[in-house]
């Protein structure tokens, strides 16, 4: 069996395993609905004059689309892949996989592809709800680049999830560690909390978060589309293309680290 065949077989098994967990399926796709209904419909936004109304929801609704997408892009891979790695360790499945041609990178790639599909579907739900309840639609021209951002971010956090699952002592430890990492990243990565609400000294620290580049790139594509940088302009550094390049590099690094950390035997 070729490498592609092995990845396809493992991805098919992971997809069927996901579908058998009906509770996981329900909350994976229902969670974005709850998120949008609470924050975009009930809480809403208060831009004020010129978008300077103050507070955490002081920007127009479209500004927070990267934050809504970041929730599923961040939490789902960390918990799903981390729990899968931990569960495989506890049941000694890696000892059985070590007797097959399937490599650790192929195993992680297969599970990453499944998560890309799952989160992609959840992302479509978010986009549809945003367009329906807030009129914050996304142009079709931006969808291909947006899909690339989502896929890269999923691969990145699948790698982080593999690291957590490889080093945490149990599935409970994985969940605790993933929440401890995800919650600070979610609110300190230029998603829901705008940089001007944070102390001046902390703002450069936001650049250390991989999620920051996802959020800024998505925002450039969806919210700041008219001001997307063109080659030669001084604002190119803030454009979606630079954020995409950084995200590519980080995704490769964390995916490789996660694949290497997965135990062959345990």
């Amino acid at each position: 069996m070729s490498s592609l065949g092995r990845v396809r077989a493992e991805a098919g098994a992971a997809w069927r395993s996901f579908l058998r967990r009906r509770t996981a399926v329900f909350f994976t796709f229902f969670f974005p609905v709850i998120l949008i209904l609470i924050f975009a419909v009930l809480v809403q936004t208060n831009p004020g004059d010129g978008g300077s109304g103050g507070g955490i929801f002081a920007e127009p609704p479209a500004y927070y689309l990267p934050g809504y997408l970041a929730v599923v892009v961040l939490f789902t891979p960390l918990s799903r892949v981390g729990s899968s790695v931990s569960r495989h360790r506890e049941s000694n499945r890696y000892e059985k996989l070590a007797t097959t041609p399937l490599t650790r990178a192929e195993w992680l790639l297969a599970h990453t592809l499944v998560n890309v599909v799952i989160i992609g579907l959840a992302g479509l739900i978010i986009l549809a709800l945003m367009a329906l309840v807030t009129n914050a639609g996304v142009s079709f021209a931006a969808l291909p680049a947006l899909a690339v951002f989502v896929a890269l971010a999923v691969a990145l956090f699948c790698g982080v999830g593999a690291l957590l699952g490889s080093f945490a002592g149990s599935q409970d430890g994985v969940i605790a560690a993933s929440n401890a990492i995800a919650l600070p990243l979610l609110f300190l990565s230029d998603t829901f909390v705008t940089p001007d609400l944070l102390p001046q000294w902390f703002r450069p620290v936001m650049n250390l978060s991989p999620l920051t580049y996802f959020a800024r790139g998505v925002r450039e594509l969806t919210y700041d589309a008219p001001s997307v940088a063109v080659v030669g302009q001084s604002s190119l550094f803030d454009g979606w293309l630079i954020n995409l390049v950084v995200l590519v590099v980080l995704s490769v690094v964390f995916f490789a680290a996660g694949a290497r950390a997965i135990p062959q035997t345990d």
Side-chain angles (χ1 to χ4, degrees):
M1 181 181 291
S2 65
S3 177
L4 179 61
R6 293 193 295 270
V7 171
R8 186 189 300 117
E10 179 64 27
W15 176 257
R16 290 189 293 272
S17 175
F18 169 71
L19 292 180
R20 284 195 294 268
R21 295 183 173 89
R22 297 182 179 180
T23 303
V25 174
F26 176 79
F27 282 104
T28 296
F29 297 112
F30 187 65
F31 183 68
V33 177
I34 299 176
L35 195 70
I36 298 296
L37 292 178
I38 291 177
F39 291 103
V41 178
L42 296 180
V43 177
Q44 298 186 356
T45 60
N46 183 27
D49 296 330
S52 59
I56 190 172
F57 286 103
E59 303 292 337
Y63 181 90
Y64 299 101
L65 176 60
Y68 298 132
L69 290 174
V71 173
V72 291
V73 162
L74 177 62
F75 281 88
T76 303
L78 286 181
S79 60
R80 280 185 51 78
V81 174
S83 296
S84 295
V85 172
S86 180
R87 187 167 58 250
H88 277 52
R89 289 177 57 199
E90 292 175 359
S91 59
N92 298 319
R93 295 186 189 180
Y94 286 118
E95 292 185 359
K96 298 177 182 178
L97 289 176
T99 64
T100 72
L102 186 71
T103 65
R104 292 175 290 180
E106 291 170 347
W107 184 93
L108 183 57
L109 176 59
H111 286 259
T112 298
L113 292 175
V114 172
N115 277 276
V116 168
V117 174
I118 293 171
I119 295 167
L121 294 174
L124 289 176
I125 294 175
I126 290 176
L127 293 177
L129 284 174
M130 286 290 290
L132 182 64
V133 302
T134 68
N135 295 322
V138 177
S139 67
F140 286 104
L143 288 179
L146 184 60
V148 173
F149 269 98
V150 170
L152 288 172
V154 171
L156 191 158
F157 290 111
C158 280
V160 177
L163 289 170
L164 295 179
S166 300
F167 296 120
S170 63
Q171 291 189 55
D172 291 338
V174 170
I175 299 301
S178 63
N179 288 336
I181 292 174
L183 286 174
L185 286 182
L186 180 62
F187 292 102
L188 300 176
S189 300
D190 202 359
T191 50
F192 293 108
V193 180
T194 56
D196 59 286
L197 295 178
L198 297 172
Q200 184 71 33
W201 62 266
F202 185 82
R203 295 173 191 174
V205 179
M206 299 174 68
N207 295 323
L208 300 178
S209 169
L211 193 63
T212 295
Y213 301 97
F214 170 80
R216 289 174 178 171
V218 171
R219 187 169 292 118
E220 285 284 342
L221 286 169
T222 59
Y223 178 68
D224 293 331
S227 63
V228 171
V230 179
V231 174
Q233 290 184 346
S234 60
S235 59
L236 177 61
F237 184 78
D238 297 323
W240 66 269
L241 187 58
I242 292 299
N243 289 294
L244 180 64
V245 171
V246 174
L247 199 61
V248 168
V249 174
L250 293 176
S251 298
V252 171
V253 170
F254 280 99
F255 182 90
R260 185 174 179 82
I262 293 174
Q264 290 181 318
T265 59
D266 198 10

